[in-house]
Amino acid sequence: MKAAYFERYGGPEVLEIRNVDKLEIQDNELLIRVKAATVTAGDVHLRKADPYLVRFFNGFLKPKRIRIPGNEFAGEVELTGKKVRSFKVKERVFGAAGLDSGTNAEYIKLKEDSAIAVIPDGLSFEQAASIPFGALASYYFIKEKARLSKGNRILIYGASGALGVYAVQIAKYLGAEVTGVCSTANIDLVRSLGADNVIDYTVTDFTEQDAEFDIIFDTVGKSPFWGSIRRLGKSGIYVRSVHTDISDILSGLIVNMFTGKRVVGGIANERKENLETISSFIAAGKLKPVIDRTYSLESIREAHKYVEKGHKKGSVVIAI
């Protein structure tokens, strides 16, 4: 099978298209013919080994555990193991591969209890592939970590990115008052997703405003730490999906120990039941995909170059 592949860390040039062995499945696994996948900021960090902590997980000198990038996918079930009961051959499915990655390839194998669900009616493979990573992470951080409830005031920093576009929609659907922070070019997009207020960070520093929030969700790891803490209410929660700076981690411990506010982060738990919840949001017309660009698998380097610039709107899709 064809797959995007990298055997050393570095720039987009380390990626190449290779023919690798087709996967063999166990009794509790599915073999899925991938029709579409994506390139995310996480794929870029993995390829560059940036932050350095990536090397502890994937090999110090060169990639060992993950050599085929890609987290989210959409495709058709090609083969099921003997013990699989939830899915049938030819069924259209989408989902997330978790820490194993590997979706930038013609096939992927996953356990039946992985974050996989049937694609809702009306979605193309490309649209379906663009949803799992951003929607699952947003739902996990907003609902499970921050425990957002109806009437909460939430600020979403990076509201036009792969997480942000779904965070805005999910928070709004759950009944929050949503403020999105983005650049000038993305104001109309963020408003169209349901944000009650939009702040253009190139013009206005939200940390200097008087507004107070129950939750601040930084989807890109670029919001000012202490400025964000100041904008929280007395029991507010600051969520950082990207939290690798050691000084911010230590500052978070101080906030959690000595104030009524909380700082939370970590890696999103991508669960099947959460993806099924996301699927119900889509079926209800409350969550729509946002795709910036689509590339072929053979153009994987160009896709990485574009994502690495950090200005994409929603998802960058790979058609396979």
Side-chain angles (χ1 to χ4, degrees):
M1 68 173 186
K2 289 195 302 183
Y5 196 93
F6 67 111
E7 58 183 0
R8 58 191 175 94
Y9 298 120
E13 70 278 359
V14 304
L15 292 162
E16 57 185 51
I17 303 301
R18 285 194 180 183
N19 285 311
V20 300
D21 293 338
K22 191 173 179 178
L23 305 168
E24 296 184 2
I25 62 171
Q26 302 298 314
D27 289 348
N28 64 339
E29 292 179 328
L30 310 169
L31 181 66
I32 298 167
R33 171 71 168 94
V34 179
K35 298 288 188 177
T38 62
V39 174
T40 68
D43 297 318
V44 171
H45 291 309
L46 180 68
R47 185 249 302 157
K48 295 170 62 178
D50 177 25
Y52 195 83
L53 289 173
V54 168
R55 295 176 185 263
F56 287 86
F57 165 76
N58 201 38
F60 280 98
L61 300 179
K62 62 181 181 179
K64 290 185 177 181
R65 178 175 176 178
I66 299 172
R67 292 174 179 168
I68 300 174
N71 172 268
E72 51 194 343
F73 69 90
E76 290 183 350
V77 177
E78 179 147 317
L79 188 64
T80 62
K82 295 178 182 178
K83 296 181 180 179
V84 172
R85 297 291 180 267
S86 302
F87 300 98
K88 300 177 294 185
V89 172
K90 295 297 183 183
E91 201 159 29
R92 285 163 35 97
V93 295
F94 72 134
L99 295 177
D100 290 330
S101 296
T103 67
N104 290 172
E106 290 183 312
Y107 293 90
I108 186 171
K109 67 173 183 177
L110 291 170
K111 292 181 179 178
E112 181 181 18
D113 61 0
S114 300
I116 312 170
V118 174
I119 296 175
D121 291 340
L123 286 188
S124 67
F125 287 119
E126 287 80 7
Q127 289 173 321
S130 72
I131 293 171
F133 169 72
L136 282 170
S138 294
Y139 184 81
Y140 173 77
F141 285 118
I142 290 174
K143 187 62 178 175
E144 297 189 16
K145 299 291 282 187
R147 300 187 182 279
L148 178 142
S149 58
K150 187 175 182 179
N152 280 167
R153 295 158 297 175
I154 182 172
L155 179 139
I156 298 168
Y157 195 92
S160 60
L163 266 70
V165 294
Y166 296 109
V168 169
Q169 295 179 80
I170 290 170
K172 189 63 181 176
Y173 185 46
L174 295 176
E177 179 184 320
V178 181
T179 296
V181 179
C182 62
S183 65
T184 309
N186 297 324
I187 289 175
D188 289 343
L189 168 63
V190 175
R191 282 205 180 105
S192 74
L193 298 175
D196 299 284
N197 309 291
V198 182
I199 296 174
D200 181 348
Y201 72 79
T202 68
V203 177
T204 303
D205 182 352
F206 82 90
T207 68
E208 300 299 327
Q209 304 300 298
D210 293 331
E212 194 173 86
F213 300 95
D214 300 296
I215 301 167
I216 293 177
F217 180 21
D218 180 355
T219 69
V220 291
K222 294 181 179 180
S223 60
F225 184 93
W226 289 108
S228 298
I229 295 298
R230 288 197 304 271
R231 295 276 62 81
L232 288 173
K234 290 183 178 180
S235 58
I237 300 173
Y238 182 33
V239 185
R240 300 198 79 178
S241 62
V242 182
H243 206 157
T244 58
D245 187 285
I246 189 64
S247 65
D248 284 354
I249 293 173
L250 294 174
S251 296
L253 293 174
I254 292 171
V255 171
N256 292 347
M257 291 175 63
F258 298 108
T259 77
K261 303 174 184 182
R262 286 197 299 127
V263 178
V264 299
I267 298 174
N269 191 341
E270 297 174 337
R271 294 198 297 270
K272 176 187 285 289
E273 57 265 34
N274 285 358
L275 186 60
E276 290 171 346
T277 297
I278 295 301
S279 186
S280 72
F281 292 175
I282 298 168
K286 302 301 181 181
L287 196 68
K288 64 180 181 181
V290 179
I291 296 174
D292 188 325
R293 298 186 182 187
T294 300
Y295 293 85
S296 67
L297 182 61
E298 288 73 16
S299 299
I300 189 71
R301 291 180 179 179
E302 295 304 313
H304 269 249
K305 287 177 183 177
Y306 181 66
V307 172
E308 196 166 348
K309 292 177 181 178
H311 302 300
K312 66 184 176 69
K313 302 176 184 179
S315 300
V316 168
V317 171
I318 302 296
I320 301 175

